PDB file of all heavy atoms in Angstrom:
ATOM      1  N   GLY A1468     -82.304 -24.437  25.412  1.00 62.00           N
ATOM      2  CA  GLY A1468     -81.188 -23.789  24.743  1.00 62.00           C
ATOM      3  C   GLY A1468     -81.250 -22.273  24.746  1.00 62.00           C
ATOM      4  O   GLY A1468     -80.448 -21.602  24.128  1.00 62.00           O
ATOM      5  N   ASP A1469     -82.154 -21.698  25.477  1.00 58.00           N
ATOM      6  CA  ASP A1469     -82.306 -20.233  25.522  1.00 58.00           C
ATOM      7  C   ASP A1469     -81.487 -19.738  26.700  1.00 58.00           C
ATOM      8  O   ASP A1469     -81.638 -20.208  27.821  1.00 58.00           O
ATOM      9  CB  ASP A1469     -83.803 -19.822  25.684  1.00 58.00           C
ATOM     10  CG  ASP A1469     -84.008 -18.378  25.332  1.00 58.00           C
ATOM     11  OD1 ASP A1469     -83.351 -17.520  25.966  1.00 58.00           O
ATOM     12  OD2 ASP A1469     -84.844 -18.131  24.444  1.00 58.00           O
ATOM     13  N   TYR A1470     -80.610 -18.749  26.444  1.00 67.00           N
ATOM     14  CA  TYR A1470     -79.814 -18.244  27.558  1.00 67.00           C
ATOM     15  C   TYR A1470     -80.637 -17.167  28.281  1.00 67.00           C
ATOM     16  O   TYR A1470     -81.156 -16.240  27.675  1.00 67.00           O
ATOM     17  CB  TYR A1470     -78.503 -17.595  27.081  1.00 67.00           C
ATOM     18  CG  TYR A1470     -77.731 -17.067  28.248  1.00 67.00           C
ATOM     19  CD1 TYR A1470     -77.029 -17.944  29.061  1.00 67.00           C
ATOM     20  CD2 TYR A1470     -77.764 -15.705  28.597  1.00 67.00           C
ATOM     21  CE1 TYR A1470     -76.337 -17.495  30.180  1.00 67.00           C
ATOM     22  CE2 TYR A1470     -77.102 -15.285  29.713  1.00 67.00           C
ATOM     23  CZ  TYR A1470     -76.403 -16.162  30.508  1.00 67.00           C
ATOM     24  OH  TYR A1470     -75.770 -15.719  31.622  1.00 67.00           O
ATOM     25  N   ILE A1471     -80.778 -17.341  29.566  1.00 72.00           N
ATOM     26  CA  ILE A1471     -81.481 -16.414  30.414  1.00 72.00           C
ATOM     27  C   ILE A1471     -80.507 -15.949  31.490  1.00 72.00           C
ATOM     28  O   ILE A1471     -79.814 -16.745  32.116  1.00 72.00           O
ATOM     29  CB  ILE A1471     -82.689 -17.115  31.089  1.00 72.00           C
ATOM     30  CG1 ILE A1471     -83.654 -17.667  30.083  1.00 72.00           C
ATOM     31  CG2 ILE A1471     -83.402 -16.151  32.064  1.00 72.00           C
ATOM     32  CD1 ILE A1471     -84.445 -16.629  29.325  1.00 72.00           C
ATOM     33  N   GLU A1472     -80.430 -14.658  31.701  1.00 74.00           N
ATOM     34  CA  GLU A1472     -79.594 -14.125  32.763  1.00 74.00           C
ATOM     35  C   GLU A1472     -80.174 -14.515  34.136  1.00 74.00           C
ATOM     36  O   GLU A1472     -81.385 -14.665  34.282  1.00 74.00           O
ATOM     37  CB  GLU A1472     -79.504 -12.596  32.673  1.00 74.00           C
ATOM     38  CG  GLU A1472     -78.753 -12.153  31.419  1.00 74.00           C
ATOM     39  CD  GLU A1472     -78.583 -10.636  31.373  1.00 74.00           C
ATOM     40  OE1 GLU A1472     -78.535 -10.003  32.449  1.00 74.00           O
ATOM     41  OE2 GLU A1472     -78.518 -10.115  30.278  1.00 74.00           O
ATOM     42  N   ASP A1473     -79.281 -14.640  35.117  1.00 73.00           N
ATOM     43  CA  ASP A1473     -79.714 -15.032  36.434  1.00 73.00           C
ATOM     44  C   ASP A1473     -80.789 -14.131  37.017  1.00 73.00           C
ATOM     45  O   ASP A1473     -81.686 -14.576  37.726  1.00 73.00           O
ATOM     46  CB  ASP A1473     -78.525 -15.076  37.416  1.00 73.00           C
ATOM     47  CG  ASP A1473     -77.617 -16.264  37.159  1.00 73.00           C
ATOM     48  OD1 ASP A1473     -77.913 -17.072  36.240  1.00 73.00           O
ATOM     49  OD2 ASP A1473     -76.597 -16.375  37.833  1.00 73.00           O
ATOM     50  N   LYS A1474     -80.734 -12.807  36.687  1.00 74.00           N
ATOM     51  CA  LYS A1474     -81.720 -11.867  37.221  1.00 74.00           C
ATOM     52  C   LYS A1474     -83.138 -12.205  36.735  1.00 74.00           C
ATOM     53  O   LYS A1474     -84.124 -11.728  37.339  1.00 74.00           O
ATOM     54  CB  LYS A1474     -81.336 -10.433  36.883  1.00 74.00           C
ATOM     55  CG  LYS A1474     -81.437 -10.121  35.384  1.00 74.00           C
ATOM     56  CD  LYS A1474     -81.058  -8.666  35.115  1.00 74.00           C
ATOM     57  CE  LYS A1474     -81.120  -8.332  33.630  1.00 74.00           C
ATOM     58  NZ  LYS A1474     -82.379  -8.535  32.976  1.00 74.00           N
ATOM     59  N   ASP A1475     -83.257 -12.930  35.623  1.00 74.00           N
ATOM     60  CA  ASP A1475     -84.553 -13.285  35.070  1.00 74.00           C
ATOM     61  C   ASP A1475     -85.021 -14.662  35.520  1.00 74.00           C
ATOM     62  O   ASP A1475     -85.976 -15.209  34.970  1.00 74.00           O
ATOM     63  CB  ASP A1475     -84.560 -13.204  33.551  1.00 74.00           C
ATOM     64  CG  ASP A1475     -84.620 -11.777  33.035  1.00 74.00           C
ATOM     65  OD1 ASP A1475     -85.158 -10.911  33.802  1.00 74.00           O
ATOM     66  OD2 ASP A1475     -84.199 -11.511  31.926  1.00 74.00           O
ATOM     67  N   LEU A1476     -84.338 -15.253  36.486  1.00 81.00           N
ATOM     68  CA  LEU A1476     -84.693 -16.568  36.989  1.00 81.00           C
ATOM     69  C   LEU A1476     -85.085 -16.441  38.472  1.00 81.00           C
ATOM     70  O   LEU A1476     -84.238 -16.480  39.350  1.00 81.00           O
ATOM     71  CB  LEU A1476     -83.557 -17.555  36.817  1.00 81.00           C
ATOM     72  CG  LEU A1476     -83.249 -17.900  35.338  1.00 81.00           C
ATOM     73  CD1 LEU A1476     -81.900 -18.614  35.225  1.00 81.00           C
ATOM     74  CD2 LEU A1476     -84.351 -18.747  34.752  1.00 81.00           C
ATOM     75  N   ALA A1477     -86.388 -16.270  38.718  1.00 84.00           N
ATOM     76  CA  ALA A1477     -86.865 -16.053  40.086  1.00 84.00           C
ATOM     77  C   ALA A1477     -86.535 -17.250  41.006  1.00 84.00           C
ATOM     78  O   ALA A1477     -86.350 -17.063  42.191  1.00 84.00           O
ATOM     79  CB  ALA A1477     -88.359 -15.769  40.085  1.00 84.00           C
ATOM     80  N   LYS A1478     -86.478 -18.419  40.431  1.00 87.00           N
ATOM     81  CA  LYS A1478     -86.174 -19.583  41.257  1.00 87.00           C
ATOM     82  C   LYS A1478     -84.788 -19.456  41.888  1.00 87.00           C
ATOM     83  O   LYS A1478     -84.542 -19.958  42.964  1.00 87.00           O
ATOM     84  CB  LYS A1478     -86.251 -20.880  40.440  1.00 87.00           C
ATOM     85  CG  LYS A1478     -87.675 -21.334  40.204  1.00 87.00           C
ATOM     86  CD  LYS A1478     -87.681 -22.736  39.570  1.00 87.00           C
ATOM     87  CE  LYS A1478     -89.101 -23.197  39.325  1.00 87.00           C
ATOM     88  NZ  LYS A1478     -89.138 -24.562  38.828  1.00 87.00           N
ATOM     89  N   PHE A1479     -83.848 -18.788  41.197  1.00 88.00           N
ATOM     90  CA  PHE A1479     -82.509 -18.618  41.749  1.00 88.00           C
ATOM     91  C   PHE A1479     -82.544 -17.777  43.022  1.00 88.00           C
ATOM     92  O   PHE A1479     -81.828 -18.052  43.981  1.00 88.00           O
ATOM     93  CB  PHE A1479     -81.587 -18.018  40.724  1.00 88.00           C
ATOM     94  CG  PHE A1479     -80.998 -18.987  39.739  1.00 88.00           C
ATOM     95  CD1 PHE A1479     -81.443 -20.305  39.690  1.00 88.00           C
ATOM     96  CD2 PHE A1479     -80.016 -18.595  38.871  1.00 88.00           C
ATOM     97  CE1 PHE A1479     -80.890 -21.199  38.787  1.00 88.00           C
ATOM     98  CE2 PHE A1479     -79.455 -19.494  37.977  1.00 88.00           C
ATOM     99  CZ  PHE A1479     -79.886 -20.802  37.932  1.00 88.00           C
ATOM    100  N   ASP A1480     -83.397 -16.726  43.056  1.00 89.00           N
ATOM    101  CA  ASP A1480     -83.491 -15.899  44.263  1.00 89.00           C
ATOM    102  C   ASP A1480     -83.996 -16.728  45.437  1.00 89.00           C
ATOM    103  O   ASP A1480     -83.509 -16.644  46.551  1.00 89.00           O
ATOM    104  CB  ASP A1480     -84.456 -14.725  44.035  1.00 89.00           C
ATOM    105  CG  ASP A1480     -83.894 -13.715  43.013  1.00 89.00           C
ATOM    106  OD1 ASP A1480     -82.643 -13.657  42.887  1.00 89.00           O
ATOM    107  OD2 ASP A1480     -84.698 -13.016  42.371  1.00 89.00           O
ATOM    108  N   VAL A1481     -85.025 -17.510  45.191  1.00 92.00           N
ATOM    109  CA  VAL A1481     -85.600 -18.379  46.255  1.00 92.00           C
ATOM    110  C   VAL A1481     -84.583 -19.438  46.670  1.00 92.00           C
ATOM    111  O   VAL A1481     -84.424 -19.691  47.885  1.00 92.00           O
ATOM    112  CB  VAL A1481     -86.911 -19.052  45.753  1.00 92.00           C
ATOM    113  CG1 VAL A1481     -87.430 -20.042  46.774  1.00 92.00           C
ATOM    114  CG2 VAL A1481     -87.959 -17.987  45.424  1.00 92.00           C
ATOM    115  N   LEU A1482     -83.864 -19.986  45.727  1.00 93.00           N
ATOM    116  CA  LEU A1482     -82.865 -20.969  46.021  1.00 93.00           C
ATOM    117  C   LEU A1482     -81.754 -20.357  46.912  1.00 93.00           C
ATOM    118  O   LEU A1482     -81.319 -21.001  47.876  1.00 93.00           O
ATOM    119  CB  LEU A1482     -82.238 -21.492  44.720  1.00 93.00           C
ATOM    120  CG  LEU A1482     -81.356 -22.709  44.761  1.00 93.00           C
ATOM    121  CD1 LEU A1482     -81.986 -23.852  45.504  1.00 93.00           C
ATOM    122  CD2 LEU A1482     -81.011 -23.120  43.327  1.00 93.00           C
ATOM    123  N   ASP A1483     -81.353 -19.139  46.627  1.00 93.00           N
ATOM    124  CA  ASP A1483     -80.359 -18.472  47.474  1.00 93.00           C
ATOM    125  C   ASP A1483     -80.848 -18.372  48.933  1.00 93.00           C
ATOM    126  O   ASP A1483     -80.096 -18.643  49.862  1.00 93.00           O
ATOM    127  CB  ASP A1483     -80.090 -17.062  46.948  1.00 93.00           C
ATOM    128  CG  ASP A1483     -79.376 -16.992  45.621  1.00 93.00           C
ATOM    129  OD1 ASP A1483     -78.820 -18.040  45.199  1.00 93.00           O
ATOM    130  OD2 ASP A1483     -79.377 -15.925  44.977  1.00 93.00           O
ATOM    131  N   GLU A1484     -82.143 -18.039  49.100  1.00 94.00           N
ATOM    132  CA  GLU A1484     -82.699 -17.948  50.437  1.00 94.00           C
ATOM    133  C   GLU A1484     -82.743 -19.282  51.162  1.00 94.00           C
ATOM    134  O   GLU A1484     -82.378 -19.390  52.336  1.00 94.00           O
ATOM    135  CB  GLU A1484     -84.133 -17.350  50.366  1.00 94.00           C
ATOM    136  CG  GLU A1484     -84.167 -15.912  49.907  1.00 94.00           C
ATOM    137  CD  GLU A1484     -85.606 -15.457  49.650  1.00 94.00           C
ATOM    138  OE1 GLU A1484     -86.561 -16.142  50.082  1.00 94.00           O
ATOM    139  OE2 GLU A1484     -85.776 -14.406  48.987  1.00 94.00           O
ATOM    140  N   LEU A1485     -83.138 -20.330  50.452  1.00 96.00           N
ATOM    141  CA  LEU A1485     -83.208 -21.652  51.055  1.00 96.00           C
ATOM    142  C   LEU A1485     -81.842 -22.135  51.455  1.00 96.00           C
ATOM    143  O   LEU A1485     -81.663 -22.771  52.524  1.00 96.00           O
ATOM    144  CB  LEU A1485     -83.924 -22.657  50.126  1.00 96.00           C
ATOM    145  CG  LEU A1485     -85.366 -22.397  49.839  1.00 96.00           C
ATOM    146  CD1 LEU A1485     -85.907 -23.400  48.810  1.00 96.00           C
ATOM    147  CD2 LEU A1485     -86.209 -22.507  51.125  1.00 96.00           C
ATOM    148  N   LEU A1486     -80.854 -21.878  50.632  1.00 95.00           N
ATOM    149  CA  LEU A1486     -79.489 -22.320  50.959  1.00 95.00           C
ATOM    150  C   LEU A1486     -78.945 -21.531  52.157  1.00 95.00           C
ATOM    151  O   LEU A1486     -78.261 -22.114  52.998  1.00 95.00           O
ATOM    152  CB  LEU A1486     -78.559 -22.131  49.742  1.00 95.00           C
ATOM    153  CG  LEU A1486     -78.852 -23.110  48.588  1.00 95.00           C
ATOM    154  CD1 LEU A1486     -78.001 -22.738  47.373  1.00 95.00           C
ATOM    155  CD2 LEU A1486     -78.575 -24.545  49.035  1.00 95.00           C
ATOM    156  N   ALA A1487     -79.317 -20.263  52.268  1.00 94.00           N
ATOM    157  CA  ALA A1487     -78.868 -19.480  53.457  1.00 94.00           C
ATOM    158  C   ALA A1487     -79.477 -20.091  54.721  1.00 94.00           C
ATOM    159  O   ALA A1487     -78.830 -20.150  55.769  1.00 94.00           O
ATOM    160  CB  ALA A1487     -79.281 -18.056  53.281  1.00 94.00           C
ATOM    161  N   GLU A1488     -80.738 -20.553  54.619  1.00 93.00           N
ATOM    162  CA  GLU A1488     -81.404 -21.178  55.784  1.00 93.00           C
ATOM    163  C   GLU A1488     -80.822 -22.547  56.120  1.00 93.00           C
ATOM    164  O   GLU A1488     -80.936 -22.999  57.255  1.00 93.00           O
ATOM    165  CB  GLU A1488     -82.900 -21.311  55.497  1.00 93.00           C
ATOM    166  CG  GLU A1488     -83.679 -20.028  55.466  1.00 93.00           C
ATOM    167  CD  GLU A1488     -85.109 -20.238  55.016  1.00 93.00           C
ATOM    168  OE1 GLU A1488     -85.589 -21.376  55.010  1.00 93.00           O
ATOM    169  OE2 GLU A1488     -85.765 -19.238  54.686  1.00 93.00           O
ATOM    170  N   ALA A1489     -80.219 -23.218  55.165  1.00 92.00           N
ATOM    171  CA  ALA A1489     -79.696 -24.560  55.384  1.00 92.00           C
ATOM    172  C   ALA A1489     -78.578 -24.609  56.404  1.00 92.00           C
ATOM    173  O   ALA A1489     -78.288 -25.643  56.990  1.00 92.00           O
ATOM    174  CB  ALA A1489     -79.276 -25.206  54.054  1.00 92.00           C
ATOM    175  N   GLY A1490     -77.920 -23.493  56.550  1.00 89.00           N
ATOM    176  CA  GLY A1490     -76.783 -23.449  57.529  1.00 89.00           C
ATOM    177  C   GLY A1490     -75.668 -24.398  57.169  1.00 89.00           C
ATOM    178  O   GLY A1490     -75.169 -24.397  56.080  1.00 89.00           O
ATOM    179  N   ASP A1491     -75.344 -25.299  58.137  1.00 89.00           N
ATOM    180  CA  ASP A1491     -74.252 -26.225  57.938  1.00 89.00           C
ATOM    181  C   ASP A1491     -74.673 -27.558  57.329  1.00 89.00           C
ATOM    182  O   ASP A1491     -73.887 -28.477  57.216  1.00 89.00           O
ATOM    183  CB  ASP A1491     -73.484 -26.449  59.245  1.00 89.00           C
ATOM    184  CG  ASP A1491     -74.367 -27.185  60.273  1.00 89.00           C
ATOM    185  OD1 ASP A1491     -75.584 -27.192  60.104  1.00 89.00           O
ATOM    186  OD2 ASP A1491     -73.791 -27.697  61.242  1.00 89.00           O
ATOM    187  N   GLN A1492     -75.949 -27.674  56.991  1.00 90.00           N
ATOM    188  CA  GLN A1492     -76.436 -28.933  56.434  1.00 90.00           C
ATOM    189  C   GLN A1492     -75.964 -29.134  54.975  1.00 90.00           C
ATOM    190  O   GLN A1492     -75.746 -28.171  54.259  1.00 90.00           O
ATOM    191  CB  GLN A1492     -77.984 -28.970  56.457  1.00 90.00           C
ATOM    192  CG  GLN A1492     -78.582 -28.896  57.845  1.00 90.00           C
ATOM    193  CD  GLN A1492     -80.060 -28.912  57.802  1.00 90.00           C
ATOM    194  OE1 GLN A1492     -80.665 -29.961  57.668  1.00 90.00           O
ATOM    195  NE2 GLN A1492     -80.687 -27.732  57.910  1.00 90.00           N
ATOM    196  N   LYS A1493     -75.827 -30.391  54.616  1.00 89.00           N
ATOM    197  CA  LYS A1493     -75.538 -30.706  53.209  1.00 89.00           C
ATOM    198  C   LYS A1493     -76.856 -30.728  52.432  1.00 89.00           C
ATOM    199  O   LYS A1493     -77.865 -31.175  52.944  1.00 89.00           O
ATOM    200  CB  LYS A1493     -74.813 -32.030  53.084  1.00 89.00           C
ATOM    201  CG  LYS A1493     -73.376 -31.973  53.623  1.00 89.00           C
ATOM    202  CD  LYS A1493     -72.599 -33.227  53.239  1.00 89.00           C
ATOM    203  CE  LYS A1493     -71.150 -33.074  53.671  1.00 89.00           C
ATOM    204  NZ  LYS A1493     -70.261 -33.956  52.890  1.00 89.00           N
ATOM    205  N   VAL A1494     -76.758 -30.288  51.178  1.00 93.00           N
ATOM    206  CA  VAL A1494     -77.947 -30.077  50.335  1.00 93.00           C
ATOM    207  C   VAL A1494     -77.878 -30.883  49.056  1.00 93.00           C
ATOM    208  O   VAL A1494     -76.810 -30.915  48.414  1.00 93.00           O
ATOM    209  CB  VAL A1494     -78.123 -28.566  50.026  1.00 93.00           C
ATOM    210  CG1 VAL A1494     -79.288 -28.365  49.104  1.00 93.00           C
ATOM    211  CG2 VAL A1494     -78.315 -27.769  51.300  1.00 93.00           C
ATOM    212  N   LEU A1495     -78.989 -31.472  48.698  1.00 89.00           N
ATOM    213  CA  LEU A1495     -79.137 -32.095  47.399  1.00 89.00           C
ATOM    214  C   LEU A1495     -80.012 -31.178  46.546  1.00 89.00           C
ATOM    215  O   LEU A1495     -81.111 -30.849  46.918  1.00 89.00           O
ATOM    216  CB  LEU A1495     -79.840 -33.478  47.506  1.00 89.00           C
ATOM    217  CG  LEU A1495     -79.075 -34.546  48.242  1.00 89.00           C
ATOM    218  CD1 LEU A1495     -79.994 -35.699  48.591  1.00 89.00           C
ATOM    219  CD2 LEU A1495     -77.941 -35.054  47.385  1.00 89.00           C
ATOM    220  N   LEU A1496     -79.457 -30.757  45.378  1.00 91.00           N
ATOM    221  CA  LEU A1496     -80.242 -29.991  44.433  1.00 91.00           C
ATOM    222  C   LEU A1496     -80.640 -30.929  43.289  1.00 91.00           C
ATOM    223  O   LEU A1496     -79.771 -31.439  42.574  1.00 91.00           O
ATOM    224  CB  LEU A1496     -79.434 -28.821  43.845  1.00 91.00           C
ATOM    225  CG  LEU A1496     -79.253 -27.582  44.689  1.00 91.00           C
ATOM    226  CD1 LEU A1496     -78.483 -26.528  43.914  1.00 91.00           C
ATOM    227  CD2 LEU A1496     -80.603 -27.021  45.119  1.00 91.00           C
ATOM    228  N   TRP A1497     -81.935 -31.146  43.146  1.00 88.00           N
ATOM    229  CA  TRP A1497     -82.435 -32.062  42.137  1.00 88.00           C
ATOM    230  C   TRP A1497     -82.950 -31.326  40.894  1.00 88.00           C
ATOM    231  O   TRP A1497     -83.633 -30.331  41.037  1.00 88.00           O
ATOM    232  CB  TRP A1497     -83.577 -32.910  42.703  1.00 88.00           C
ATOM    233  CG  TRP A1497     -83.188 -33.908  43.747  1.00 88.00           C
ATOM    234  CD1 TRP A1497     -83.282 -33.717  45.106  1.00 88.00           C
ATOM    235  CD2 TRP A1497     -82.727 -35.220  43.557  1.00 88.00           C
ATOM    236  NE1 TRP A1497     -82.835 -34.854  45.762  1.00 88.00           N
ATOM    237  CE2 TRP A1497     -82.501 -35.800  44.812  1.00 88.00           C
ATOM    238  CE3 TRP A1497     -82.450 -35.989  42.404  1.00 88.00           C
ATOM    239  CZ2 TRP A1497     -82.050 -37.079  44.997  1.00 88.00           C
ATOM    240  CZ3 TRP A1497     -82.008 -37.278  42.582  1.00 88.00           C
ATOM    241  CH2 TRP A1497     -81.778 -37.833  43.858  1.00 88.00           C
ATOM    242  N   ASP A1498     -82.646 -31.846  39.763  1.00 88.00           N
ATOM    243  CA  ASP A1498     -83.222 -31.370  38.498  1.00 88.00           C
ATOM    244  C   ASP A1498     -83.091 -32.549  37.522  1.00 88.00           C
ATOM    245  O   ASP A1498     -82.380 -33.547  37.858  1.00 88.00           O
ATOM    246  CB  ASP A1498     -82.511 -30.149  37.950  1.00 88.00           C
ATOM    247  CG  ASP A1498     -83.382 -29.347  37.000  1.00 88.00           C
ATOM    248  OD1 ASP A1498     -83.640 -29.839  35.881  1.00 88.00           O
ATOM    249  OD2 ASP A1498     -83.821 -28.248  37.370  1.00 88.00           O
ATOM    250  N   HIS A1499     -83.724 -32.477  36.379  1.00 83.00           N
ATOM    251  CA  HIS A1499     -83.630 -33.609  35.446  1.00 83.00           C
ATOM    252  C   HIS A1499     -82.844 -33.262  34.205  1.00 83.00           C
ATOM    253  O   HIS A1499     -82.751 -34.077  33.294  1.00 83.00           O
ATOM    254  CB  HIS A1499     -85.017 -34.159  35.131  1.00 83.00           C
ATOM    255  CG  HIS A1499     -85.959 -33.112  34.585  1.00 83.00           C
ATOM    256  ND1 HIS A1499     -86.617 -32.238  35.425  1.00 83.00           N
ATOM    257  CD2 HIS A1499     -86.359 -32.831  33.352  1.00 83.00           C
ATOM    258  CE1 HIS A1499     -87.388 -31.442  34.721  1.00 83.00           C
ATOM    259  NE2 HIS A1499     -87.244 -31.767  33.457  1.00 83.00           N
TER     260      HIS A1499
END
């Protein structure tokens, strides 16, 4: 329940990079 800005979530930066590498592939993002 804690609001964190995107700039404070390092996983988002890495996720951006991985998605850029995915190219035209379809992606499943898993979380619980």
Side-chain angles (χ1 to χ4, degrees):
D1469 198 302
Y1470 181 77
I1471 300 288
E1472 293 184 29
D1473 287 359
K1474 68 179 177 59
D1475 283 335
L1476 292 166
K1478 283 189 178 183
F1479 277 9
D1480 294 334
V1481 174
L1482 192 50
D1483 292 346
E1484 293 171 16
L1485 293 176
L1486 290 173
E1488 290 173 14
D1491 65 344
Q1492 298 179 80
K1493 289 193 175 201
V1494 175
L1495 294 165
L1496 281 184
W1497 291 96
D1498 203 290
H1499 54 282

